[in-house]
Amino acid sequence: MEIVALSGGIIALIFIGLNVLHMVMGSSKENRCLPLFPLETIFISYGIGLGFISLEMLIFYLFGVKFTVYGLLIPWVVLIAVNAIRYVAHRDKIVIETRTTESEERYKFLNIFLISGISLEAVYAFFRALIKPIESYDAVAIYAIKSKIFFIAKAIPETYFPILIHGFPHPDYPLNIPLSETFFYIAMGSLNDQLVKIIFPLFFLGILILLYYAIRRFASRTYALLFTFLLASIPHFNAYAANAYQELPLSFYYFSSALLLFSWIEDKKSLRPLVLSAIMVALAGWTKNEGLMYCAINTVLVLFFSMRTIRKDMTWKTLFAPIAYIVIVGLLLLPWIWIKHKFGIANDEINLANLNPVYLFNQIHKLVPIFYELQKQLFGPKKWILLWPVVIFAAALNYRKLFKGIRGYISVSIILAFLGYILFYMISYVDVVFFASKTWARFLLHFLPLLVLWLAYILKEDVKI
Amino acid sequence: MIYRILKILFAVWVGLWMAFFVRELFIKNNIRDYEALISRTLEGKHAYVTGDKLYGFLSHCKEIMPEIAKYKFVNIEEGSLDRRRAVYYLYPRVEGKDPDFIIDMAQLMIKKAKE
């Protein structure tokens, strides 16, 4: 019965996400919208549905409303009705990519091997996640305890932000996943912290799907399968699909936001992918504090692109794009930022006031352990197999292509993410050796799918399949 | 030439992938955990991942303490995983400065604070 309720909850979330997606991407003019593949649509909808239902729960807290399944689902009827009216009146719909894949006889064996490898990793991720209840350190201490509090109270208790939250570690961490877990507990009617872990392998699968179709847009099926397999086979990536940490949800939201941003940069016809990118990156900020850094990185890219094109294309769209991006991200994060401000909830490890040249200069000595720990990560095959040596090899081989076209935007995103994490370490109060050894590998996961996409772009001319 | 190097790298990648997959299952002995977990109920799984003894003790604490009770841990490291799990399992009972119960995590004993 719990499995049926859980499945119903997932379908409801996807349906809500689909309606948000339809609201943003639905258009009667097919040529003005980015076509999405059906599986891509489902997983983007899943991410949006999860993020929006948890934001709704936060807003319920502001109005003192208790959580019930019907109470949480009913407000979405308005959106569904609006979409239905739009469809009936204007035939507005999401453009679904109908391109089919021709079988490539030449690489038949390789394709079968790659599909088998990806399937094995996906099945193993679900198995590993669902065989155990939530038990790993952060998952229990930071997130599951919060979802238990919310489930028992069927609300975010009034005393939660002023009092209760301070009894547990990291009160400032965003609540997307704890509230999503709560939603599933409420749907199941029980605190089944084993089944609720399905959230995480679904994000794992979602990332693989997004990567596959992102590569399919510029390369063959075998080529897309190859890089999807490379990502799926990275042991550290698979491990985080099962331990109920927030790294893969964050990675999913950031990756999808980056893909949509790049498709807007390449296409420029419509602002819709940009709006969706803003929504996805805001949800990254609502998932983990590191997501705020990705909000900043994407905004920098939007500003940079707009400034570059403004000379050639001085239209309202070019002027409006960065403002729209910032406003959408800000609006979605506003309730959480306001609550944090109201109750004085701050991070106890990092102080952004330390982001000044004098403080940073005094922390230069931290660079040695930061880079030492980083190189330990990069060249340890147990976690990454050969990923980082291949990345370095590919970059050295194709250094002239690194900053050309869309590859340039991806390269800049990855460099900014690296720099961002180095800054985190420098402004943190935590012992840098301890902090870097515990977190570098996790941080690298946040932009890992983007790195694999970058690799696919860079090696396109070298790998002829 | 480059294509050939990349092909070799791919072959090494696949070899390492298989080796780490087998290592994860058999050398790190996760297969033993999976065998033990697969037939257990949710409670049984909680007990297995926490340790049967500790989980049994925490279940006993839950029976003794009313849901509104406050407790204090002794003989356990502040940031340890066992402590975090105990806090999780015992909620809605919470740690407090003026506790109703003292929980000795080393001896696995619970007693009223004011006796």
Side-chain angles (χ1 to χ4, degrees):
Chain A
M1 196 59 204
E2 283 178 342
I3 292 175
V4 174
L6 179 77
S7 310
I10 293 169
I11 292 166
L13 286 185
I14 292 174
F15 190 61
I16 289 167
L18 192 63
N19 274 279
V20 176
L21 189 64
H22 188 276
M23 197 54 156
V24 178
M25 300 291 275
S27 167
S28 56
K29 296 167 187 163
E30 296 205 354
N31 62 334
R32 295 188 61 188
C33 229
L34 171 76
L36 294 170
F37 287 91
L39 278 175
E40 220 178 8
T41 309
I42 289 171
F43 279 96
I44 291 176
S45 300
Y46 167 72
I48 296 175
L50 216 67
F52 272 58
I53 210 93
S54 62
L55 277 173
E56 184 192 14
M57 291 163 102
L58 190 70
I59 290 163
F60 271 33
Y61 161 75
L62 295 174
F63 290 97
V65 182
K66 289 241 172 192
F67 302 153
T68 61
V69 176
Y70 294 115
L72 287 165
L73 296 182
I74 282 169
W76 297 100
V77 171
V78 177
L79 179 67
I80 294 162
V82 170
N83 278 338
I85 292 165
R86 279 179 64 199
Y87 180 74
V88 170
H90 309 289
R91 295 274 166 232
D92 281 354
K93 59 183 178 186
I94 303 166
V95 184
I96 298 292
E97 179 67 80
T98 50
R99 182 168 34 148
T100 53
T101 306
E102 285 174 26
S103 119
E104 293 158 273
E105 283 300 318
R106 199 176 150 202
Y107 299 111
K108 200 174 171 186
F109 175 74
L110 180 60
N111 285 348
I112 291 170
F113 171 76
L114 295 171
I115 292 169
S116 307
I118 295 163
S119 308
L120 178 68
E121 287 289 352
V123 169
Y124 188 49
F126 276 91
F127 175 77
R128 259 213 296 195
L130 295 175
I131 190 85
K132 281 183 197 173
I134 296 175
E135 46 90 34
S136 48
Y137 191 96
D138 282 12
V140 168
I142 303 171
Y143 307 110
I145 183 68
K146 290 173 184 167
S147 48
K148 186 172 183 180
I149 293 170
F150 305 150
F151 172 67
I152 288 174
K154 301 287 184 290
I156 300 177
E158 262 182 53
T159 53
Y160 179 74
F161 290 114
I163 304 164
L164 210 49
I165 197 172
H166 299 288
F168 305 101
H170 303 302
D172 65 305
Y173 281 18
L175 297 174
N176 183 11
I177 299 301
L179 284 169
S180 301
E181 288 172 353
T182 307
F183 172 76
F184 285 121
Y185 290 149
I186 290 170
M188 290 188 285
S190 72
L191 199 126
N192 190 327
D193 56 3
Q194 177 192 358
L195 286 180
V196 82
K197 282 174 77 190
I198 199 164
I199 291 173
F200 304 95
L202 280 173
F203 275 114
F204 172 83
L205 194 56
I207 292 170
L208 296 182
I209 299 273
L210 291 187
L211 178 71
Y212 173 77
Y213 286 118
I215 300 174
R216 274 300 277 130
R217 290 196 165 89
F218 68 87
S220 71
R221 182 183 185 223
T222 308
Y223 194 75
L225 283 173
L226 172 68
F227 285 89
T228 310
F229 168 77
L230 293 186
L231 179 61
S233 64
I234 292 172
H236 195 52
F237 182 61
N238 192 297
Y240 274 75
N243 64 4
Y245 278 43
Q246 320 290 290
E247 318 309 320
L248 292 203
L250 170 62
S251 183
F252 173 88
Y253 286 122
Y254 171 56
F255 186 48
S256 53
S257 79
L259 291 175
L260 289 156
L261 176 58
F262 300 144
S263 74
W264 172 72
I265 287 173
E266 276 187 313
D267 187 49
K268 294 190 290 271
K269 279 185 202 154
S270 164
L271 281 177
R272 290 169 195 268
L274 188 74
V275 171
L276 195 56
S277 166
I279 291 172
M280 297 313 271
V281 86
L283 294 179
W286 172 228
T287 303
K288 278 204 95 182
N289 284 335
E290 293 91 322
L292 298 175
M293 179 183 82
Y294 292 106
C295 293
I297 289 174
N298 280 9
T299 307
V300 166
L301 292 193
V302 175
L303 277 169
F304 177 73
F305 177 74
S306 297
M307 278 160 57
R308 267 186 73 179
T309 49
I310 211 160
R311 278 173 289 173
K312 288 183 260 171
D313 182 27
M314 181 71 171
T315 59
W316 69 271
K317 270 187 194 170
T318 323
L319 291 168
F320 181 66
I323 301 165
Y325 207 84
I326 294 165
V327 167
I328 292 166
V329 171
L331 276 177
L332 286 173
L333 291 175
L334 188 65
W336 176 234
I337 292 169
W338 183 76
I339 285 170
K340 276 169 69 170
H341 178 73
K342 184 182 173 192
F343 294 105
I345 302 164
N347 192 292
D348 47 5
E349 293 174 345
I350 287 168
N351 186 354
L352 290 180
N354 293 341
L355 262 179
N356 65 72
V358 178
Y359 186 86
L360 288 174
F361 184 77
N362 289 329
Q363 305 300 313
I364 277 180
H365 64 277
K366 286 185 177 176
L367 287 174
V368 177
I370 290 170
F371 281 101
Y372 176 72
E373 289 299 330
L374 178 63
Q375 66 78 28
K376 265 171 53 182
Q377 287 303 324
L378 301 194
F379 301 108
K382 280 182 207 163
K383 282 183 180 161
W384 308 101
I385 306 192
L386 290 180
L387 179 76
W388 297 98
V390 171
V391 164
I392 292 165
F393 176 68
L397 208 65
N398 297 288
Y399 66 94
R400 285 205 182 98
K401 295 185 212 159
L402 295 185
F403 295 97
K404 278 189 182 158
I406 209 67
R407 285 171 295 209
Y409 287 94
I410 305 179
S411 302
V412 169
S413 300
I414 292 167
I415 291 167
L416 288 176
F418 257 117
L419 292 175
Y421 287 127
I422 291 168
L423 268 182
F424 269 168
Y425 289 127
M426 291 183 72
I427 63 173
S428 167
Y429 298 122
V430 185
D431 171 55
V432 69
V433 177
F434 172 79
F435 196 20
S437 66
K438 293 282 176 203
T439 53
W440 248 134
R442 267 198 255 171
F443 287 166
L444 296 175
L445 284 174
H446 300 161
F447 59 88
L448 178 69
L450 194 63
L451 188 78
V452 177
L453 177 69
W454 173 89
L455 202 57
Y457 267 110
I458 292 292
L459 293 176
K460 179 73 187 73
E461 282 152 35
D462 300 315
V463 182
K464 305 220 180 318
I465 53 172
Chain B
M1 179 65 181
I2 292 165
Y3 185 45
R4 197 169 286 174
I5 294 171
L6 290 170
K7 270 169 103 174
I8 293 167
L9 282 173
F10 178 66
V12 177
W13 184 299
V14 170
L16 285 171
W17 168 63
M18 286 174 171
F20 288 131
F21 201 92
V22 171
R23 173 180 171 268
E24 150 80 25
L25 279 176
F26 299 102
I27 298 170
K28 285 173 97 181
N29 227 349
N30 282 328
I31 198 94
R32 189 194 56 197
D33 286 345
Y34 300 150
E35 271 179 346
L37 283 162
I38 206 149
S39 56
R40 289 186 174 221
T41 61
L42 181 58
E43 276 295 292
K45 287 177 189 204
H46 278 137
Y48 185 82
V49 296
T50 314
D52 287 321
K53 204 172 166 190
L54 177 59
Y55 191 74
F57 171 66
L58 292 172
S59 301
H60 171 64
C61 292
K62 276 162 77 176
E63 280 167 18
I64 288 179
M65 292 191 287
E67 291 195 347
I68 51 162
K70 287 183 181 167
Y71 59 84
K72 185 186 170 190
F73 288 122
V74 292
N75 293 327
I76 189 165
E77 204 182 314
E78 174 60 37
S80 70
L81 179 56
D82 279 348
R83 186 189 184 111
R84 296 296 172 206
R85 283 177 177 163
V87 168
Y88 174 63
Y89 291 134
L90 292 177
Y91 187 84
R93 302 144 195 95
V94 290
E95 285 183 277
K97 281 180 186 162
D98 186 19
D100 305 303
F101 292 88
I102 305 290
I103 300 176
D104 187 330
M105 292 290 279
Q107 304 291 321
L108 298 186
M109 279 169 53
I110 179 168
K111 62 177 182 184
K112 281 196 172 169
K114 295 150 197 163
E115 270 183 332

